[in-house]
Amino acid sequence: MRPPEHVEAAIRARTRPVCAYVYDTAVLNERAAALRAALPPRTTLLYAVKANGHPDVVRTLSSACDGLEVASGGELRLAVAAGARRIVFGGPGKTDAELAAAVAAGAQVNVESAHELRRLDRAARAAGVVTEAAVRVNRAGPALPGSHAMTGTPTPFGVDETTLARVLALRLDSVRVTGFHLHAVSNNLDAAAHARFIAEAVDWSVATARRHDVPLRLVNVGGGLGVDYLGAATIDLDALRSGLAGLAVPDGVDLIVEPGRILAADAGWYAAEVLDLKHTHGRWFAVLRGGTHHFRLPAAWGYSHPFTVLPVDAWPYPWQRPQVDDVAVDAVGELCTPRDVLARDRHVRRLRIGDILVFGRTGAYGWDISHHDFLRHPPPAFEVL
Ligand SMILES: *Cc1c(COP(=O)(O)O)cnc(C)c1O
């Protein structure tokens, strides 16, 4: 995926050796609008901050969506600073201080256990408020295709469906359980299956609320809408829209969707200059100013992230410029470990030292999930368009 002209221009304008993330807020706005158009009217669309916590990204998506989903005290502070109209706070290990901060910010908490529900009640009482919470449930059956299944399987997330009755039977003064949180999967590309999952989550919530006397006001179906890093595909939003066309959300129930990846992935480009080219034991390596300490996703998931070559004609040295033609190269980083690989065996028509590799679709789970301090190289530049 070649970057659009304005992104390419921003990359070319950087000082050398080039190493930068470029984020395009127009793409963030476009993705939020496209997703909203695929969801039933009145659905609450939140952005899951963990995908990309750059303050400009968070601020842009906070206004393009209805609010933000956060999963730590740090993300909560970002959301407050971004002026989010609505904040939902999730995550399996919340401290008392984080629960108190969530109550103070007026966030709605997704509770992960009976113990946490009691602690939230205590935090709300201390603040002199009554708060509404959803219980995150690890449901009995498998939910969806995709990676990282979080429900229907042993995980640290949520309350096992078989013990849900005990949590819902707790009668607490300062917290009312008014819904369920059912985030199930990461990176699902099957739109029809995702629509069925959402419809089924609503039905399950209505039935479960009735059975346990929960005054149902919110059903949070999480995120997990996927992009295919190897191809150009994204979960089919037209198919999602038609799959959800008949969805009947009861009056007074707020359907919440809180994706991260599908909103932010396409808005990011990671650019890294080729510092060296070498051939060892029959294999070509392009060594980059950058690597997995900036963009860990391919190493974490074990795939080769596609890139395009941005040719740079300037050559500042008085000797001949090393170059390869029509070969397969491994794009590797500057870290002293053989695991620092962004892509293997990618064909290049021509590649020279000083050219720039541009990795598209790096706006989600790129910089944010990477081990920045390993080897203490300087961070990339960040440019927001
Ligand atoms: C990570 C996460 C999301 C966002 O997931 P995406 O796959 O980026 O859409 C939403 N909700 C919860 C609870 C999460 O943990």
Side-chain angles (χ1 to χ4, degrees), residues 66 83 99 162 171 246 248 250 271 280 286 288 350:
D66 298 304
L99 290 172
T162 59
R171 289 291 169 256
T280 65
L288 305 178
R350 181 187 71 177

Side-chain angles (χ1 to χ4, degrees), residues 47-51 69-71 90-92 110 112 136 150 157 181 183-188 220-226 257-263 364-365:
Y47 165 58
V49 170
K50 81 170 189 281
E69 188 266 351
V70 301
N110 293 322
E112 298 257 350
R136 181 166 186 181
M150 280 163 268
F157 309 116
H181 182 245
H183 176 68
V185 78
S186 194
N187 213 32
N188 173 39
N220 187 327
V221 294
L225 301 155
V257 179
E258 48 175 31
R261 189 183 316 272
I262 194 171
L263 295 172
Y365 305 108

Side-chain angles (χ1 to χ4, degrees), residues 37 41 48 111 161 189-190 235 249 253 273 299 318 360 382:
V111 166
E161 187 171 345
L189 286 159
D190 183 341
I235 190 169
V249 181
V253 173
E273 183 168 321
F382 289 87

Side-chain angles (χ1 to χ4, degrees), residues 40-373:
R42 299 193 319 279
T43 302
T44 296
L45 174 60
L46 307 178
Y47 165 58
V49 170
K50 81 170 189 281
N52 187 329
H54 188 290
D56 293 341
V57 172
V58 172
R59 206 174 310 113
T60 302
L61 285 173
S62 177
S63 21
C65 303
D66 298 304
L68 301 170
E69 188 266 351
V70 301
S72 71
E75 288 187 359
L76 179 65
R77 284 191 292 280
L78 271 175
V80 171
R85 281 161 287 159
R86 192 142 167 210
I87 303 175
V88 165
F89 188 5
K94 307 180 190 77
T95 65
D96 286 339
E98 286 174 324
L99 290 172
V103 169
Q108 178 254 302
V109 176
N110 293 322
V111 166
E112 298 257 350
S113 70
H115 175 58
E116 191 180 295
L117 186 60
R118 290 183 193 277
R119 291 194 295 122
L120 177 62
D121 177 59
R122 205 161 74 153
R125 192 170 330 113
V129 300
V130 174
T131 191
E132 280 189 35
V135 174
R136 181 166 186 181
V137 183
N138 183 337
R139 293 186 50 197
L144 269 174
S147 62
H148 295 58
M150 280 163 268
T151 184
T153 182
T155 68
F157 309 116
V159 174
D160 190 283
E161 187 171 345
T162 59
T163 63
L164 183 58
R166 262 187 276 153
V167 177
L168 297 178
L170 288 174
R171 289 291 169 256
L172 302 164
D173 293 334
S174 300
V175 58
R176 289 198 212 309
V177 172
T178 59
F180 302 105
H181 182 245
L182 302 167
H183 176 68
V185 78
S186 194
N187 213 32
N188 173 39
L189 286 159
D190 183 341
H194 214 95
R196 280 198 301 279
F197 158 73
I198 292 175
E200 209 271 322
V202 171
D203 289 347
W204 179 90
S205 298
V206 169
T208 306
R210 194 173 298 135
R211 188 164 339 117
H212 297 284
D213 244 348
V214 169
L216 188 67
R217 284 164 47 86
L218 51 102
V219 177
N220 187 327
V221 294
L225 301 155
V227 304
D228 176 6
Y229 291 108
L230 293 178
T234 298
I235 190 169
D236 182 346
L237 291 181
D238 290 331
L240 185 69
R241 185 194 354 242
S242 41
L244 290 172
L247 180 66
V249 181
D251 280 346
V253 173
D254 187 11
L255 176 65
I256 304 175
V257 179
E258 48 175 31
R261 189 183 316 272
I262 194 171
L263 295 172
D266 285 340
W269 285 267
Y270 177 56
E273 183 168 321
V274 178
L275 291 182
D276 214 336
L277 277 171
K278 61 182 66 174
H279 194 244
T280 65
H281 293 268
R283 218 176 170 95
W284 278 105
F285 294 89
V287 183
L288 305 178
R289 158 62 188 119
T292 54
H293 51 323
H294 301 162
F295 180 48
R296 194 174 75 94
L297 193 65
W301 281 17
Y303 72 97
S304 287
H305 200 95
F307 59 79
T308 51
V309 177
L310 222 60
V312 174
D313 287 334
W315 174 249
Y317 305 101
W319 51 86
Q320 199 191 347
R321 188 174 185 180
Q323 152 173 352
V324 292
D325 294 275
D326 233 350
V327 297
V329 300
D330 288 5
V332 303
E334 61 198 339
L335 303 181
C336 305
T337 159
R339 301 270 174 136
D340 189 14
V341 180
L342 299 179
R344 279 203 196 282
D345 252 339
R346 289 268 154 187
H347 176 261
V348 290
R349 206 169 45 75
R350 181 187 71 177
L351 187 64
R352 301 164 298 180
I353 293 178
D355 287 340
I356 300 168
L357 301 193
V358 183
F359 299 80
R361 292 205 136 165
T362 52
Y365 305 108
W367 171 250
D368 286 69
I369 66 160
S370 304
H371 40 59
H372 310 153
D373 287 339

